[in-house]
């Protein structure tokens, strides 16, 4: 089980890095009307975020903070993807919810990283 435990921090770090990259790509999309991977990053982020709670549960960690934040990451990513795909398709007026969701995603993935330092 310790092999899976070792995968949690890199997975959460990758989710954090992809979220930041997606924000940069989204900002570029707003300013230059060219997409450098915002949508494709969202798909990759969704797969990794859904895998995070699975890895946490399978690793046997009892820390409620790690478990709760990993499920929050997965839930926020799914909501973020649905908002981006269906509510913001051609109409960017839902950016008021899209951006705060990305901020919450960043905070929760960072919380997984921090909580894993103390998890047993």
């Amino acid at each position: 089980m310790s092999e899976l435990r070792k995968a949690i921090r890199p997975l959460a770090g990758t989710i954090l890095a992809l979220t930041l990259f997606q924000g940069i790509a989204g900002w570029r999309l707003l300013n230059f009307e060219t997409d450098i991977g915002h949508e494709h990053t969202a798909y990759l982020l969704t797969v990794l975020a859904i895998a995070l709670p699975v890895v946490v549960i399978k690793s046997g960690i009892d820390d409620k903070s790690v478990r709760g934040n990993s499920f929050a990451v997965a839930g926020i990513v799914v909501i973020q993807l649905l908002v981006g795909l269906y509510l913001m398709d051609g109409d960017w007026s839902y950016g008021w919810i899209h951006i705060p969701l990305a901020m919450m995603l960043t905070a929760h993935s960072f919380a997984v990283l921090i909580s894993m330092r103390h998890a047993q």
Side-chain angles (χ1 to χ4, degrees):
M1 289 297 177
S2 65
E3 296 84 27
L4 284 176
R5 186 175 297 223
K6 292 178 183 177
I8 295 171
R9 289 189 76 182
L11 188 57
T14 304
I15 291 168
L16 178 63
L18 283 174
T19 305
L20 296 175
F21 172 77
Q22 190 180 23
I24 293 167
W27 184 255
R28 181 169 170 81
L29 185 62
L30 279 174
N31 292 328
F32 299 108
E33 298 296 325
T34 58
D35 190 2
I36 60 170
H38 187 77
E39 185 176 351
H40 297 295
T41 305
Y43 296 138
L44 178 59
L45 196 56
T46 303
V47 171
L48 292 177
I50 291 172
L52 182 62
V54 174
V55 171
V56 168
I57 295 298
K58 291 297 245 178
S59 69
I61 291 178
D62 285 336
D63 191 338
K64 291 181 182 180
S65 178
V66 175
R67 283 184 176 210
N69 283 312
S70 68
F71 276 99
V73 166
I76 292 168
V77 164
V78 169
I79 294 169
Q80 178 82 324
L81 183 70
L82 293 174
V83 167
L85 284 177
Y86 298 111
L87 294 180
M88 294 183 70
D89 187 30
D91 177 22
W92 292 22
S93 62
Y94 285 94
W96 64 270
I97 193 167
H98 196 65
I99 293 170
L101 282 170
M103 291 175 169
M104 288 189 298
L105 176 60
T106 303
H108 285 286
S109 59
F110 192 65
V112 170
L113 284 172
I114 292 172
S115 298
M116 276 304 295
R117 291 177 62 194
H118 306 293
Q120 296 180 1

